[in-house]
Amino acid sequence: MAQTHDDLNAKAFSLQPGYDETLVRAEFAELMPLRTVIIYCFDPRASGIPDAVARDLGDVWPGEAVTDAGGEIIGTTTSVLNVVVAGGRALDALRSITVAQHLLGVENIAVVHHTHCGATSYTAEGIVKAWQEEQGVDISETYPRESLCISDYVASVEHDARLIRNAPGTPRHVNVHGYVYDIDNGELTRILEDRGTA
Ligand SMILES: [Zn+2]
């Protein structure tokens, strides 16, 4: 049977009696040893990316669930969180970076674009024009042009690394890593490493 509105809200941390935000944050940070946020494409062919990046950065992925004495899953041993978005473009990931830092603490952010990506199959002008014709809606000012598609793999990774670095919601201490992943052979090519400030 479906749960009621109250049943569902009984599982919301901020609605608990005596809720203490500072305490809840500290508990969250203990439940997952997060080091690295990986931003990559929602294309199913790109699903090997977390594995490849974790190997390169020495992360634990996929890790294992951690259970308490009662068998409830209360944590994980993985040190990776994934943000899976169209083209692996960083614009869609900025809010997630802020939340990951707030709850768990982040050391590395990896932005990864991949070969044969659908984001290289159209242009910014093309998607704006098609949206106007097919949906009758003008999205020309909705998204920055340079984040709409990919026209040059190195330039797009460099752009996204700069976007992450300059975002107010990115902690200054994080290292930003840029890669291109070859979906034919699983090879990861490093484009850049931008070390954070202590
Ligand atoms: Zn893609």
Side-chain angles (χ1 to χ4, degrees):
M1 198 176 76
Q3 299 182 70
T4 66
H5 191 161
D6 283 347
D7 289 338
L8 295 170
N9 282 349
K11 294 169 184 170
F13 292 96
S14 61
L15 296 178
Q16 301 307 305
Y19 161 70
D20 178 336
E21 182 162 346
T22 304
L23 188 64
V24 169
R25 283 182 65 199
E27 286 173 352
F28 260 88
E30 270 189 23
L31 297 177
M32 180 179 177
L34 180 65
R35 276 184 79 233
T36 300
V37 171
I38 305 176
I39 304 156
Y40 67 95
C41 186
F42 64 11
D43 185 333
R45 299 171 305 160
S47 62
I49 287 175
D51 203 39
V53 174
R55 269 199 307 275
D56 196 58
L57 295 180
D59 274 292
V60 177
W61 170 260
E64 292 168 5
V66 174
T67 51
D68 66 11
E72 290 212 6
I73 296 175
I74 56 163
T76 168
T77 62
T78 187
S79 62
V80 169
L81 272 186
N82 296 314
V83 183
V84 186
V85 297
R89 299 310 306 269
L91 179 71
D92 298 9
L94 298 179
R95 191 187 62 88
S96 297
I97 290 168
T98 303
V99 174
Q101 170 61 30
H102 186 62
L103 290 180
L104 300 165
V106 179
E107 288 178 39
N108 300 299
I109 299 169
V111 59
V112 191
H113 298 167
H114 71 91
T115 58
H116 307 306
C117 185
T120 66
S121 70
Y122 62 90
T123 60
E125 292 67 32
I127 193 171
V128 168
K129 184 163 176 281
W131 211 262
Q132 185 70 61
E133 291 170 1
E134 295 165 17
Q135 312 295 330
V137 175
D138 178 11
I139 60 164
S140 60
E141 304 294 327
T142 306
Y143 312 104
R145 290 287 168 114
E146 55 279 17
S147 292
L148 263 176
C149 63
I150 294 173
S151 54
D152 175 318
Y153 281 114
V154 173
S156 62
V157 168
E158 289 176 344
H159 171 276
D160 281 9
R162 270 197 310 278
L163 188 70
I164 292 165
R165 174 59 73 205
N166 294 331
T170 299
R172 298 208 175 154
H173 68 265
V174 298
N175 308 311
V176 180
H177 306 267
Y179 300 96
V180 175
Y181 176 80
D182 188 328
I183 62 168
D184 290 320
N185 58 22
E187 196 180 332
L188 197 61
T189 299
R190 180 181 281 279
I191 305 300
L192 63 92
E193 178 173 10
D194 174 4
R195 306 291 298 182
T197 52

PDB file of all heavy atoms in Angstrom, residues 56-68:
ATOM      1  N   ASP A  56      41.982   6.259 -11.627  1.00  0.00           N
ATOM      2  CA  ASP A  56      42.986   7.305 -11.832  1.00  0.00           C
ATOM      3  C   ASP A  56      43.222   8.126 -10.564  1.00  0.00           C
ATOM      4  O   ASP A  56      44.355   8.537 -10.295  1.00  0.00           O
ATOM      5  CB  ASP A  56      42.551   8.223 -12.977  1.00  0.00           C
ATOM      6  CG  ASP A  56      43.704   9.079 -13.482  1.00  0.00           C
ATOM      7  OD1 ASP A  56      44.729   8.495 -13.904  1.00  0.00           O
ATOM      8  OD2 ASP A  56      43.607  10.317 -13.432  1.00  0.00           O
ATOM      9  N   LEU A  57      42.166   8.377  -9.795  1.00  0.00           N
ATOM     10  CA  LEU A  57      42.299   9.258  -8.627  1.00  0.00           C
ATOM     11  C   LEU A  57      42.440   8.485  -7.314  1.00  0.00           C
ATOM     12  O   LEU A  57      42.542   9.089  -6.244  1.00  0.00           O
ATOM     13  CB  LEU A  57      41.091  10.206  -8.547  1.00  0.00           C
ATOM     14  CG  LEU A  57      40.956  11.204  -9.707  1.00  0.00           C
ATOM     15  CD1 LEU A  57      39.712  12.082  -9.515  1.00  0.00           C
ATOM     16  CD2 LEU A  57      42.194  12.086  -9.826  1.00  0.00           C
ATOM     17  N   GLY A  58      42.418   7.137  -7.405  1.00  0.00           N
ATOM     18  CA  GLY A  58      42.583   6.340  -6.190  1.00  0.00           C
ATOM     19  C   GLY A  58      41.348   6.329  -5.302  1.00  0.00           C
ATOM     20  O   GLY A  58      41.470   6.262  -4.066  1.00  0.00           O
ATOM     21  N   ASP A  59      40.197   6.383  -5.924  1.00  0.00           N
ATOM     22  CA  ASP A  59      38.947   6.388  -5.153  1.00  0.00           C
ATOM     23  C   ASP A  59      38.362   4.988  -4.995  1.00  0.00           C
ATOM     24  O   ASP A  59      38.737   4.061  -5.719  1.00  0.00           O
ATOM     25  CB  ASP A  59      37.915   7.289  -5.850  1.00  0.00           C
ATOM     26  CG  ASP A  59      38.057   8.729  -5.431  1.00  0.00           C
ATOM     27  OD1 ASP A  59      37.765   9.014  -4.260  1.00  0.00           O
ATOM     28  OD2 ASP A  59      38.481   9.560  -6.264  1.00  0.00           O
ATOM     29  N   VAL A  60      37.431   4.853  -4.046  1.00  0.00           N
ATOM     30  CA  VAL A  60      36.695   3.611  -3.822  1.00  0.00           C
ATOM     31  C   VAL A  60      35.364   3.698  -4.574  1.00  0.00           C
ATOM     32  O   VAL A  60      34.538   4.564  -4.298  1.00  0.00           O
ATOM     33  CB  VAL A  60      36.419   3.393  -2.316  1.00  0.00           C
ATOM     34  CG1 VAL A  60      35.586   2.128  -2.108  1.00  0.00           C
ATOM     35  CG2 VAL A  60      37.724   3.333  -1.542  1.00  0.00           C
ATOM     36  N   TRP A  61      35.185   2.824  -5.550  1.00  0.00           N
ATOM     37  CA  TRP A  61      33.974   2.796  -6.350  1.00  0.00           C
ATOM     38  C   TRP A  61      33.762   1.388  -6.904  1.00  0.00           C
ATOM     39  O   TRP A  61      34.745   0.817  -7.399  1.00  0.00           O
ATOM     40  CB  TRP A  61      34.048   3.798  -7.523  1.00  0.00           C
ATOM     41  CG  TRP A  61      32.907   3.608  -8.476  1.00  0.00           C
ATOM     42  CD1 TRP A  61      32.913   2.938  -9.679  1.00  0.00           C
ATOM     43  CD2 TRP A  61      31.573   4.059  -8.297  1.00  0.00           C
ATOM     44  NE1 TRP A  61      31.680   2.945 -10.233  1.00  0.00           N
ATOM     45  CE2 TRP A  61      30.827   3.624  -9.418  1.00  0.00           C
ATOM     46  CE3 TRP A  61      30.926   4.783  -7.277  1.00  0.00           C
ATOM     47  CZ2 TRP A  61      29.466   3.888  -9.536  1.00  0.00           C
ATOM     48  CZ3 TRP A  61      29.577   5.042  -7.419  1.00  0.00           C
ATOM     49  CH2 TRP A  61      28.873   4.611  -8.545  1.00  0.00           C
ATOM     50  N   PRO A  62      32.575   0.759  -6.873  1.00  0.00           N
ATOM     51  CA  PRO A  62      31.350   1.326  -6.281  1.00  0.00           C
ATOM     52  C   PRO A  62      31.272   1.194  -4.762  1.00  0.00           C
ATOM     53  O   PRO A  62      30.354   1.748  -4.174  1.00  0.00           O
ATOM     54  CB  PRO A  62      30.251   0.477  -6.931  1.00  0.00           C
ATOM     55  CG  PRO A  62      30.898  -0.825  -7.208  1.00  0.00           C
ATOM     56  CD  PRO A  62      32.344  -0.523  -7.526  1.00  0.00           C
ATOM     57  N   GLY A  63      32.213   0.485  -4.127  1.00  0.00           N
ATOM     58  CA  GLY A  63      32.171   0.349  -2.675  1.00  0.00           C
ATOM     59  C   GLY A  63      31.058  -0.579  -2.220  1.00  0.00           C
ATOM     60  O   GLY A  63      30.455  -1.292  -3.035  1.00  0.00           O
ATOM     61  N   GLU A  64      30.802  -0.567  -0.932  1.00  0.00           N
ATOM     62  CA  GLU A  64      29.785  -1.463  -0.364  1.00  0.00           C
ATOM     63  C   GLU A  64      28.913  -0.700   0.617  1.00  0.00           C
ATOM     64  O   GLU A  64      29.361   0.267   1.232  1.00  0.00           O
ATOM     65  CB  GLU A  64      30.476  -2.605   0.395  1.00  0.00           C
ATOM     66  CG  GLU A  64      31.227  -3.559  -0.510  1.00  0.00           C
ATOM     67  CD  GLU A  64      32.131  -4.495   0.255  1.00  0.00           C
ATOM     68  OE1 GLU A  64      32.111  -4.466   1.506  1.00  0.00           O
ATOM     69  OE2 GLU A  64      32.858  -5.250  -0.412  1.00  0.00           O
ATOM     70  N   ALA A  65      27.671  -1.198   0.757  1.00  0.00           N
ATOM     71  CA  ALA A  65      26.763  -0.596   1.740  1.00  0.00           C
ATOM     72  C   ALA A  65      27.234  -0.938   3.149  1.00  0.00           C
ATOM     73  O   ALA A  65      27.754  -2.018   3.391  1.00  0.00           O
ATOM     74  CB  ALA A  65      25.352  -1.112   1.526  1.00  0.00           C
ATOM     75  N   VAL A  66      27.066   0.004   4.065  1.00  0.00           N
ATOM     76  CA  VAL A  66      27.379  -0.220   5.476  1.00  0.00           C
ATOM     77  C   VAL A  66      26.054  -0.315   6.227  1.00  0.00           C
ATOM     78  O   VAL A  66      25.202   0.567   6.089  1.00  0.00           O
ATOM     79  CB  VAL A  66      28.223   0.946   6.044  1.00  0.00           C
ATOM     80  CG1 VAL A  66      28.430   0.775   7.545  1.00  0.00           C
ATOM     81  CG2 VAL A  66      29.561   1.038   5.314  1.00  0.00           C
ATOM     82  N   THR A  67      25.872  -1.387   6.986  1.00  0.00           N
ATOM     83  CA  THR A  67      24.611  -1.573   7.710  1.00  0.00           C
ATOM     84  C   THR A  67      24.848  -1.487   9.213  1.00  0.00           C
ATOM     85  O   THR A  67      25.937  -1.762   9.705  1.00  0.00           O
ATOM     86  CB  THR A  67      23.988  -2.954   7.385  1.00  0.00           C
ATOM     87  OG1 THR A  67      24.986  -3.958   7.581  1.00  0.00           O
ATOM     88  CG2 THR A  67      23.506  -3.017   5.954  1.00  0.00           C
ATOM     89  N   ASP A  68      23.786  -1.120   9.934  1.00  0.00           N
ATOM     90  CA  ASP A  68      23.884  -1.087  11.397  1.00  0.00           C
ATOM     91  C   ASP A  68      23.502  -2.460  11.950  1.00  0.00           C
ATOM     92  O   ASP A  68      23.213  -3.391  11.192  1.00  0.00           O
ATOM     93  CB  ASP A  68      23.019   0.039  11.986  1.00  0.00           C
ATOM     94  CG  ASP A  68      21.531  -0.181  11.762  1.00  0.00           C
ATOM     95  OD1 ASP A  68      21.130  -1.298  11.345  1.00  0.00           O
ATOM     96  OD2 ASP A  68      20.762   0.765  12.003  1.00  0.00           O
TER      97      ASP A  68
END
